[in-house]
Amino acid sequence: MREQTVAMYCVLDDLIRFTRPAGTPPASGRRLSDAQVLTTALVAARFFGGNLVVAKHYMEQHWGQNRLDKSGFTRRLHALSDTLLALFATVGDLLKHLHEEARYVLDSFPVAVCHNTRIRRCKLLTGKAYHGRCASKRSWFYGLKVQVVATSDGIPVEFYLHAGAESEQTGRRGLPLDLPEGSVLYTDAGYTDYVAEDLFNEASGSQQYTARRQNSKRPLHPAQAFLLQYFRKGIETCFSRLTARFPKQIHAVTPAGFALKIALFIFAHTLHQAGL
């Protein structure tokens, strides 16, 4: 745990220095640096089920980190949400270039904010836009849907959060899908959109293979269908390992805080799978 904490802090600190515009003066008068705040949040997601208070106490007692009250720490963390996403994108780009196989899988999984019987009493998210259906589990949920692009060995490199009722094609549009030229992207039948596939293939220089339904106008070659089925198994393992980090209920006060914690879990899982 000590080695992983040091590694995460060093990586975050170096990335912040690298991505910060040249000539930007360091922030003065702050008890914690940006790297310390983000490291504490990632430690919470990786080792303490997302509990920021416990992670903050751990960093203060074992690493001598300056004390900061809970509300002050939460405000600092929310102010760094864009920085967190930018750092994840930078790490994702690095992992894409290191992934020599150049095979990626796109899929989604749901994150419920409450049980279906408590939807009417839920105050964190409101509206039918969050009442979605998980086709693989043949069940309904109330919350967000997470679109994830992962390497063939199960390391997330891109993600996007959207309302649970929105379709897979809508969620796909929120992803940059900035893959190296010559890559192969595998998706399931829920992402069937011939126009979007043609645009992606033409603009990126990569190839998208989508599982076809029986009445599809573009059936796959048997060899392509076999490769798609083979490489898509890794995304299910990735999701099971990722959601195993989630607590029974993700505690959040605002929708932004709920989405931020999901992003922290994904970032922490990516760093862990990358060997940090």
Side-chain angles (χ1 to χ4, degrees):
M1 183 174 178
R2 292 180 60 88
E3 292 79 4
Q4 291 87 344
T5 302
V6 173
M8 286 192 294
Y9 172 78
C10 293
V11 169
L12 291 175
D13 188 57
D14 289 343
L15 288 176
I16 290 174
R17 295 175 185 271
F18 175 76
T19 57
R20 183 167 291 166
T24 303
S28 58
R30 292 182 175 177
R31 299 180 63 86
L32 298 178
S33 65
D34 293 346
Q36 288 176 315
V37 174
L38 293 178
T39 300
T40 304
L42 287 174
V43 167
R46 184 166 180 177
F47 301 110
F48 301 110
N51 193 318
L52 297 175
V53 176
V54 175
K56 189 169 68 70
H57 289 333
Y58 167 77
M59 297 296 289
E60 292 169 356
Q61 296 175 2
H62 294 272
W63 296 97
Q65 185 169 280
N66 291 332
R67 294 183 179 273
L68 188 64
D69 61 278
K70 179 183 177 181
S71 60
F73 180 85
T74 304
R75 287 194 298 270
R76 284 289 309 279
L77 179 59
H78 278 267
L80 291 171
S81 58
D82 291 338
T83 302
L84 178 73
L85 297 178
L87 294 179
F88 180 86
T90 303
V91 173
D93 289 339
L94 177 61
L95 293 174
K96 292 173 190 175
H97 290 292
L98 295 176
H99 185 55
E100 298 180 354
E101 191 175 352
R103 296 180 185 272
Y104 301 88
V105 183
L106 168 61
D107 206 345
S108 65
F109 68 93
V111 181
V113 297
C114 64
H115 294 290
N116 289 340
T117 56
R118 300 175 182 173
I119 292 177
R120 294 184 178 180
R121 291 179 289 169
C122 180
K123 297 181 180 179
L124 186 62
L125 299 175
T126 56
K128 293 184 178 180
Y130 300 100
H131 197 184
R133 185 176 186 275
C134 181
S136 61
K137 298 181 180 179
R138 299 180 180 179
S139 62
W140 294 86
F141 70 97
Y142 190 75
L144 301 178
K145 190 179 291 185
V146 187
Q147 303 286 337
V148 176
V149 177
T151 61
S152 56
D153 46 0
I155 304 179
V157 292
E158 291 183 11
F159 73 92
Y160 176 70
L161 306 177
H162 60 95
E166 295 179 350
S167 65
E168 307 293 354
Q169 293 91 338
T170 302
R172 180 186 185 276
R173 298 188 191 102
L175 291 166
L177 289 179
D178 186 15
L179 305 179
E181 186 176 357
S183 300
V184 179
L185 179 66
Y186 298 105
T187 66
D188 66 10
Y191 295 90
T192 301
D193 187 337
Y194 298 145
V195 176
E197 290 179 29
D198 294 338
L199 289 175
F200 172 77
N201 297 340
E202 181 179 354
S204 65
S206 300
Q207 189 71 32
Q208 177 179 339
Y209 292 115
T210 302
R212 302 303 188 192
R213 297 183 174 90
Q214 293 182 353
N215 60 348
S216 174
K217 298 179 181 179
R218 298 185 184 181
L220 294 178
H221 188 274
Q224 296 173 344
F226 172 79
L227 289 175
L228 187 147
Q229 184 179 9
Y230 175 80
F231 285 106
R232 277 190 48 79
K233 292 180 180 179
I235 196 70
E236 301 299 335
T237 303
C238 171
F239 287 167
S240 62
R241 292 177 178 175
L242 174 58
T243 54
R245 300 181 181 275
F246 291 8
K248 187 175 181 179
Q249 181 178 3
I250 298 178
H251 175 73
V253 179
T254 63
F258 186 78
L260 179 58
K261 283 200 171 182
I262 296 175
L264 287 169
F265 283 118
I266 298 174
F267 201 165
H269 180 71
T270 296
L271 293 177
H272 174 68
Q273 293 298 107
L276 295 178

